[in-house]
Amino acid sequence: MARARGRRAESESESEDTMSKLGQVVEAVEKHGRFVVDQVKRARSDEKFGRELAERWNKIKAETPITRAPTGLPLPRLALPEIDEPGEIARYLFGDGLPGEFPFLNGAYREMYLEPLQNIDQGSHGNKRSTSTNGAKLQKNGARPQEEPTRLFSGLMLAEDTNRRFHFLSAHQRSKRLSTAFDGLTLYGIDSDAEGVFGKIGEGGVAVDTVEDMVRLYDGFDLGSPEFSASMTISGPAPIIMAMYIAAAKRRFGSGIVPKLRGTIQSDIFKEVQAQNETIFPIEASLRFLCDMIEWTAANMPRWYPVSISGYHIGEAGSTPVQQAAYTLSNGFAYVELLAARGIPVDQFGPRLSFFLDCGLDVEYIALARVSRKIWAIGMRDVFSAGPRAQMFKLHTQTSGRSLIAAEFKNNLTRTAAELMLAYMNGTNSCHSNSADEPFTTPSEEWIRLAAHGQAILLEESGIFKHTMNMLSGSPGMKAVERAVEKAILDEFREIESLGGVLAAVENRYQRSQIQSAAHRYEEQIYDGTRPIVGLTRYRNGSDEMPEIELARTPRSKQRLQIERLTKFKKKNADKANRALDNLAQVVDRGENSFPALLEAVEVCSLGQITGRLQEVVGRFRPMV
Amino acid sequence: MASPIRILTAVPICDGHDSAINTINLEFIRHGIEVVYLGFHRYAGDIVRAAIQEDVAAIGISSYNGGHVEFFAEVVRQLKRRGASDIAVFGGGGGTITHDDASLMKGKGVDEIFFAGTSLTDMVDYVKKHYGKRRKSRAKLKPDLLLARKLTQLEDAAGKRSPRAKHQTSSIKHRTSKVIGITGPGGAGKTTLIDELVLRFLTQDRHSRIGILSHDPSVIGEGALLGDRATMINSQDDRVFMRSMATRGQAGGLSPATESCLNLLAHSGFDYVIIETVGTGQEALPFRRQLVDQTILVMNPDYGARLQLQKIVMLDVADIVVVNKTDLERAKAALLEIEQRLTQNKRKQQIVATVAKRHRDAGVDELYDLITQDGAGARPPRRERK
């Protein structure tokens, strides 16, 4: 901490007043690069400093416990480059950092996916310290890591159907980590009884109109347990859905549950406007509601992640990997700037920010998340004066849905496996692997199971990730990709900076048009052969038949049931709803924090009623082409 | 030369997957097709209304979020109900639309579904082959259909006439609508401003009907992306008739058929007809004498150095100069410089500061009042700006 503050003082320069925070991040990263070069030179010229570094290096190696593979092969629990020259040691320690150390290139935490320590041979180095990550308690007989990083994404039909799917999926898991997909109506804040939307109810995700649906959705799960967390993939109406989740939890467990709730809600407005198009209020109003929510959750729900800064949808919309990382990071810094401007301490909300990236097959993915982690850490420390916990880029990765294709779809298993490998090489904190049948529908149970097991095979069966940290880090190729990617990301930052910063660039649809051009180029490359696609443009077996796949479609009877429930809810609460909506509208008009009023409103109002009233006050989102 | 094929593309309600359609739109345009793009998250009713007003040959729908069987069928059903069943419907949804779904959808009147792996070229060829022929006139046409079809005929006729003869039709004298011409550089916010004005027209007078003639440039070859509708959230209304026109090779911000189309619209029972030019340059004077009743120049505060203002000739003739995006830092200086520039003209010109992107913006309210309270010729006294 003391060191972070010290460096902060150094980095203040006269250009700070005229430059946006993003411009300062560029400077800070470049400055850090120069700092590393200086340390390398110093290690070579200043004998005392060089000796200290070499001693530290030898100590780290000596203290590294030795682990044994099932075959008996001894391996160090942390692998380090084979260097003994002080300059190179300086370059590694300051430039990359050990896993769990600034700038976190090799990992946000020290041990990531390693098996717990009790399974391993302490070796002759006599390390008596606990090396468990994150203060996790060692279990006497547990052979498996504390928590599997696998996340299961699901959402279909009505709340009870998704609930059943959640129970089915998590039956195979020790910890219950549920990731929820909502149907299109919910994503756009529209009620199931709206005109002209009938066929959309429960399609592509679960239909949620009211707090009662939210109660049904997580029924049977202990929402306050440390073993449980809920993730909700929704952004446009996120504050309303967040309020519903809290209200549902209170209905089931009483108000004492609130500080115990764990989970993530996506809430990423910038990426919606840039790529995914599920925005319902004008940008500034959306950002205001978001910050209202974050301000409330950061104070009242210390275990909740109120925004998942997402590159996934940017990648899926067709961006290049570099664009994905650059826009995601710059969006993240823009949120930090907004929240800091409200006077919320960066060390209060900073550790509650998390990230979500796409992982495809392009070569950049060998190091994309590693570089992102580094840039975030430097920016947070040197530009926003954040402490170590807020410097950590906590990452959820999903394998690329876009890389999966319908033709000869079983090849998608291999694509996903390769992407998983890349994601874990980058030290992602959690990961979702796509089902091979994703090009067709909401994934079916058979393929979901295969996808989840793919992760277990990599992490638990194979020896690639469980014995040794840094097993695959730092190859010459990876370093080359890191350098190229970092430079390209900073170039993108400069471009955004020259357009007046993130918000101005968004309003001028800069990111959108960049993503669209990249998407178009990608399509062209598929058809001109630059990007071979097995089963489509190469090695095609000639048959275009679509495979027999069990489709998860919502029956009409269920869609009608959802409308009946909603009608009943609205009738029951008709009087109270109007009062709650009036109150909400007044609070918004007065410019107060809207979240407490939302918490009241969701008790008696549907999602669509709330969205509708808010749009009367702040307007509707004007789509960008 | 035959007129370009016109089609409309859109993504259904509660669906924001526009990556595929954006790519396909570009491909259509490159191959000479005029694409009216309605955007994502669109109701079936909005798609059908737009398709009729734009008189397109076909509607292409890109759906990735499910519910496609119902949605496509609803579009076909509404086209039929509104007497426009000669507008074809086609579409796709990657792997989300199965072969069984497609058969079902075709049974309900959908022309064609493209599956995952269909090349862009195949789609372009399909559209050219099936939607390239002029359709027969419909026997009994409902008013919007009739108007839309007449506009198409005027556009076709203008394409056939020699450039010199294009100003033949003139019936400016007997117009029944007030015609407002809106012009200005690209990116100044003309479309947003018009949409915000429409919101006020619709809410402040329960009976008014609005016509809009919107222009976008034709690009390489003959195609054009006519995308103004996609960002116009308030203009998707039965009381608004909007027509998107491509410039079809004419410079200056309008199309060869603009004048005749405008005259037709101005005789068609609308209270106001708004005409929007493409983004124009400094030397542009897009509205011929008396083509419009009131001229509005929309500017962005970021026009560069003060000297640039001297070169903008529209500043000499505009009745109202709107400086939009006045939330930008440069706005204060811009307003001052433009005001000084207008003083040289010694004419009664008004200047209004707006932030059109802002809901309930007071500047747009002021502009609305200037437009609606202005009797033909008798302009109200200039008001103080905030």
Side-chain angles (χ1 to χ4, degrees):
Chain A
M1 196 72 143
R3 189 170 138 230
R5 301 282 185 232
R7 281 190 46 75
R8 164 69 180 161
E10 275 168 43
S11 75
E12 276 173 20
S13 65
E14 67 283 357
S15 60
E16 205 162 278
D17 290 338
T18 54
M19 189 184 289
S20 85
K21 294 289 181 189
L22 195 60
Q24 294 175 37
V25 171
V26 174
E27 285 208 334
V29 174
E30 288 179 336
K31 187 168 179 157
H32 181 262
R34 291 194 298 273
F35 166 77
V36 173
V37 171
D38 288 346
Q39 297 307 301
V40 172
K41 280 187 198 152
R42 196 180 143 207
R44 285 171 182 164
S45 58
D46 175 344
E47 211 172 301
K48 182 164 167 278
F49 182 60
R51 201 168 48 243
E52 280 167 11
L53 280 172
E55 278 166 15
R56 188 181 162 209
W57 187 248
N58 291 333
K59 190 160 174 273
I60 294 166
K61 287 208 284 193
E63 286 181 353
T64 299
I66 300 297
T67 185
R68 273 185 201 282
T71 52
L73 186 78
L75 286 168
R77 216 167 141 77
L78 168 66
L80 292 171
E82 296 193 358
I83 47 176
D84 56 8
E85 188 273 313
E88 289 312 309
I89 294 171
R91 193 190 309 282
Y92 188 81
L93 289 176
F94 295 106
D96 294 13
L98 299 174
E101 284 186 12
F102 189 86
F104 306 102
L105 189 77
N106 285 305
Y109 296 111
R110 200 139 60 103
E111 302 220 318
M112 303 304 298
Y113 328 117
L114 295 192
E115 286 182 320
L117 190 59
Q118 74 280 5
N119 256 21
I120 63 168
D121 189 342
Q122 292 276 329
S124 56
H125 304 292
N127 179 10
K128 300 288 184 262
R129 289 174 305 137
S130 157
T131 50
S132 66
T133 325
N134 256 347
K137 288 190 197 80
L138 296 177
Q139 294 155 8
K140 284 266 181 281
N141 299 312
R144 293 183 294 186
Q146 184 75 0
E147 181 193 309
E148 58 277 67
T150 307
R151 294 291 181 275
L152 303 166
F153 189 44
S154 181
L156 75 169
M157 301 195 213
L158 306 193
E160 60 269 29
D161 303 297
T162 301
N163 180 267
R164 236 186 334 272
R165 175 68 70 93
F166 280 151
H167 281 287
F168 167 83
L169 291 171
S170 62
H172 306 284
Q173 298 237 311
R174 279 156 288 124
S175 46
K176 314 289 181 192
R177 308 292 177 203
L178 310 180
S179 182
T180 318
F182 296 91
D183 71 1
L185 294 168
T186 310
L187 293 172
Y188 282 97
I190 296 174
D191 276 348
S192 295
D193 63 355
E195 211 179 313
V197 300
F198 184 77
K200 295 277 182 184
I201 301 170
E203 283 288 329
V206 59
V208 171
D209 291 309
T210 68
V211 60
E212 293 173 4
D213 294 325
M214 200 58 102
V215 169
R216 274 188 285 271
L217 183 57
Y218 299 105
D219 188 39
F221 291 104
D222 182 2
L223 304 189
S225 154
E227 298 297 307
F228 178 89
S229 68
S231 159
M232 291 178 273
T233 306
I234 191 162
S235 290
I240 310 170
I241 293 294
M242 183 75 250
M244 278 188 189
Y245 184 79
I246 295 168
K250 285 201 281 193
R251 283 187 181 197
R252 288 180 55 207
F253 301 96
S255 53
I257 191 78
V258 177
K260 295 183 198 154
L261 295 174
R262 284 168 178 266
T264 307
I265 188 158
Q266 194 168 68
S267 322
D268 185 358
I269 291 303
F270 281 132
K271 70 92 178 153
E272 290 296 342
V273 179
Q274 290 162 0
Q276 209 184 2
N277 301 329
E278 288 157 4
T279 318
I280 53 187
F281 307 112
I283 302 172
E284 281 173 30
S286 295
L287 290 171
R288 177 231 167 142
F289 295 146
L290 169 67
C291 290
D292 286 352
M293 177 182 79
I294 296 177
E295 192 169 359
W296 196 91
T297 57
N300 296 286
M301 295 164 70
R303 297 192 170 91
W304 194 268
Y305 291 103
V307 57
S308 166
I309 304 157
S310 303
Y312 189 77
H313 318 83
I314 294 171
E316 291 293 293
S319 80
T320 64
V322 163
Q323 288 170 344
Q324 186 201 164
Y327 301 159
T328 307
L329 287 164
S330 56
N331 292 346
F333 288 125
Y335 289 128
V336 172
E337 204 175 340
L338 282 171
L339 291 164
R342 284 191 172 212
I344 316 172
V346 67
D347 285 326
Q348 187 188 357
F349 68 80
R352 306 321 300 164
L353 303 178
S354 65
F355 290 83
F356 175 25
L357 289 181
D358 200 351
C359 185
L361 294 169
D362 276 317
V363 69
E364 288 92 329
Y365 288 109
I366 285 173
L368 197 73
R370 292 167 58 84
V371 175
S372 301
R373 208 158 39 227
K374 175 181 161 187
I375 293 175
W376 184 252
I378 296 171
M380 288 299 275
R381 189 187 74 173
D382 296 348
V383 178
F384 294 99
S385 310
R389 285 182 58 237
Q391 295 165 12
M392 272 185 230
F393 181 89
K394 270 161 284 180
L395 175 65
H396 175 68
T397 302
Q398 183 169 337
T399 57
S400 165
R402 185 157 170 268
S403 71
L404 307 186
I405 60 163
E408 299 188 37
F409 81 105
K410 286 177 188 170
N411 284 325
N412 292 338
L413 285 171
T414 311
R415 294 187 177 102
T416 300
E419 289 160 358
L420 273 178
M421 181 82 188
L422 291 171
Y424 285 121
M425 278 169 67
N426 275 268
T428 188
N429 298 87
S430 63
C431 193
H432 170 91
S433 40
N434 287 326
S435 301
D437 61 347
E438 193 178 285
F440 306 101
T441 175
T442 302
S444 56
E445 288 178 2
E446 180 192 358
W447 295 99
I448 286 182
R449 242 171 90 80
L450 288 174
H453 285 180
Q455 301 201 44
I457 290 167
L458 262 185
L459 294 180
E460 297 174 35
E461 263 184 52
S462 95
I464 306 172
F465 296 105
K466 67 179 172 180
H467 305 308
T468 298
M469 279 302 290
N470 275 356
M471 185 63 97
L472 296 168
S473 300
S475 71
M478 181 183 273
K479 301 311 284 180
V481 173
E482 278 170 13
R483 281 189 294 272
V485 162
E486 179 180 312
K487 182 178 176 300
I489 290 175
L490 295 185
D491 284 345
E492 268 296 340
F493 282 4
R494 281 190 200 92
E495 189 66 38
I496 294 170
E497 163 80 11
S498 76
L499 294 169
V502 172
L503 186 58
V506 166
E507 287 183 338
N508 286 319
R509 59 180 301 284
Y510 167 72
Q511 292 94 337
R512 278 186 79 80
S513 65
Q514 292 293 103
I515 295 166
Q516 284 170 10
S517 311
H520 195 244
R521 191 165 62 241
Y522 185 98
E523 289 301 317
E524 283 179 334
Q525 286 175 337
I526 289 178
Y527 292 101
D528 73 15
T530 315
R531 282 181 180 277
I533 308 280
V534 172
L536 186 69
T537 61
R538 275 194 199 173
Y539 318 121
R540 193 169 179 159
N541 71 6
S543 116
D544 260 344
E545 281 307 293
M546 213 177 273
E548 284 295 313
I549 279 192
E550 187 202 341
L551 288 178
R553 292 274 165 81
T554 310
R556 287 179 161 257
S557 59
K558 282 191 189 282
Q559 295 175 323
R560 275 191 293 268
L561 176 63
Q562 184 66 15
I563 294 174
E564 280 165 29
R565 283 174 174 166
L566 176 59
T567 311
K568 235 181 251 170
F569 178 93
K570 283 184 176 168
K571 205 171 159 192
K572 182 172 74 186
N573 295 303
D575 294 342
K576 290 180 191 158
N578 277 331
R579 253 173 289 145
L581 292 172
D582 288 346
N583 178 51
L584 176 64
Q586 284 160 16
V587 166
V588 171
D589 238 357
R590 284 198 299 264
E592 296 164 18
N593 187 315
S594 58
F595 200 72
L598 268 185
L599 280 171
E600 287 170 26
V602 294
E603 293 286 350
V604 290
C605 304
S606 68
L607 172 61
Q609 287 175 322
I610 296 173
T611 309
R613 177 58 70 91
L614 288 176
Q615 285 178 330
E616 282 172 24
V617 184
V618 302
R620 287 185 287 160
F621 177 65
R622 187 179 298 283
M624 296 186 184
V625 182
Chain B
M1 192 163 61
S3 299
I5 300 171
R6 277 168 72 89
I7 62 168
L8 179 141
T9 59
V11 178
I13 191 73
C14 298
D15 196 339
H17 293 88
D18 64 347
S19 183
I21 196 66
N22 280 327
T23 291
I24 295 165
N25 281 345
L26 285 182
E27 203 64 18
F28 282 153
I29 295 158
R30 281 187 185 184
H31 289 86
I33 296 165
E34 285 181 5
V35 179
V36 180
Y37 179 48
L38 196 55
F40 51 87
H41 187 37
R42 289 298 185 208
Y43 283 101
D46 292 340
I47 293 174
V48 169
R49 182 192 309 110
I52 288 172
Q53 294 179 355
E54 300 287 357
D55 194 28
V56 294
I59 299 170
I61 300 172
S62 179
S63 164
Y64 280 81
N65 239 6
H68 40 263
V69 177
E70 288 85 352
F71 193 86
F72 278 70
E74 178 64 18
V75 170
V76 173
R77 200 179 63 78
Q78 288 197 27
L79 281 171
K80 199 168 173 185
R81 204 185 62 208
R82 300 186 63 160
S85 47
D86 61 337
I87 297 178
V89 177
F90 70 100
T96 66
I97 303 180
T98 65
H99 283 274
D100 287 349
D101 290 343
S103 311
L104 209 59
M105 290 154 85
K106 284 183 185 172
K108 291 177 191 261
V110 174
D111 258 20
E112 183 63 286
I113 294 296
F114 297 116
F115 296 105
T118 310
S119 73
L120 296 170
T121 317
D122 288 349
M123 292 183 211
V124 170
D125 289 347
Y126 180 89
V127 166
K128 285 193 158 179
K129 183 172 167 211
H130 291 85
Y131 308 130
K133 287 201 194 87
R134 272 291 127 196
R135 293 153 298 166
K136 287 175 220 132
S137 282
R138 287 169 279 211
K140 275 194 299 182
L141 291 179
K142 300 192 177 176
D144 271 11
L145 280 168
L146 188 66
L147 179 57
R149 192 54 52 89
K150 280 188 186 163
L151 290 170
T152 304
Q153 286 160 359
L154 290 173
E155 268 199 292
D156 289 350
K160 282 170 196 147
R161 252 178 268 141
S162 71
R164 284 178 187 282
K166 72 189 168 202
H167 295 307
Q168 284 172 353
T169 40
S170 186
S171 47
I172 288 169
K173 280 185 184 164
H174 305 292
R175 283 174 176 177
T176 56
S177 317
K178 175 173 175 180
V179 177
I180 303 147
I182 298 189
T183 188
K190 297 185 291 295
T191 309
T192 303
L193 191 68
I194 291 171
D195 194 48
E196 284 296 314
L197 287 171
V198 167
L199 176 66
R200 287 158 177 80
F201 281 123
L202 292 177
T203 51
Q204 301 197 11
D205 176 356
R206 293 275 158 205
H207 303 286
S208 65
R209 293 189 71 228
I210 312 298
I212 302 173
L213 206 55
S214 156
H215 291 79
D216 271 312
S218 297
V219 286
I220 329 144
E222 303 163 70
L225 179 65
L226 307 170
D228 285 343
R229 281 179 176 270
T231 63
M232 298 178 85
I233 47 180
N234 302 308
S235 304
Q236 320 285 331
D237 191 289
D238 284 337
R239 284 159 58 203
V240 179
F241 183 101
M242 174 163 169
R243 182 66 172 237
S244 310
M245 297 178 80
T247 51
R248 295 193 180 173
Q250 176 168 297
L254 299 173
S255 136
T258 300
E259 188 165 337
S260 49
C261 289
L262 184 60
N263 284 332
L264 173 60
L265 278 179
H267 284 97
S268 301
F270 297 105
D271 298 272
Y272 293 90
V273 172
I274 301 172
I275 166 170
E276 179 189 0
T277 68
V278 303
T280 52
Q282 291 175 331
E283 79 289 0
L285 274 175
F287 306 122
R288 208 169 59 86
R289 258 175 92 81
Q290 291 184 314
L291 185 70
V292 301
D293 300 316
Q294 196 168 28
T295 309
I296 301 172
L297 171 67
V298 185
M299 293 189 58
N300 186 327
D302 285 330
Y303 47 76
R306 175 193 291 253
L307 181 66
Q308 298 302 321
L309 290 179
Q310 296 304 328
K311 309 179 196 166
I312 300 174
V313 287
M314 268 307 293
L315 279 170
D316 296 326
V317 298
D319 298 308
I320 302 172
V321 176
V322 172
V323 183
N324 191 30
K325 305 191 179 181
T326 43
D327 56 332
L328 294 180
E329 264 176 43
R330 215 187 109 56
K332 257 192 192 155
L335 280 165
L336 206 67
E337 288 172 7
I338 293 170
E339 188 152 19
Q340 286 166 351
R341 165 73 167 81
L342 294 183
T343 314
Q344 301 171 2
N345 296 338
K346 301 195 166 72
R347 280 185 53 216
K348 268 190 183 170
Q349 289 171 293
Q350 273 122 350
I351 176 165
V352 183
T354 63
V355 186
K357 68 167 183 183
R358 198 177 279 162
H359 190 52
R360 301 186 293 188
D361 178 62
V364 181
D365 288 342
E366 187 187 342
L367 178 65
Y368 173 80
D369 290 344
L370 284 179
I371 291 169
T372 51
Q373 289 165 13
D374 167 54
R379 311 211 189 284
R382 166 145 179 225
R383 336 157 154 232
E384 277 306 302
R385 279 195 326 278
K386 294 174 284 181

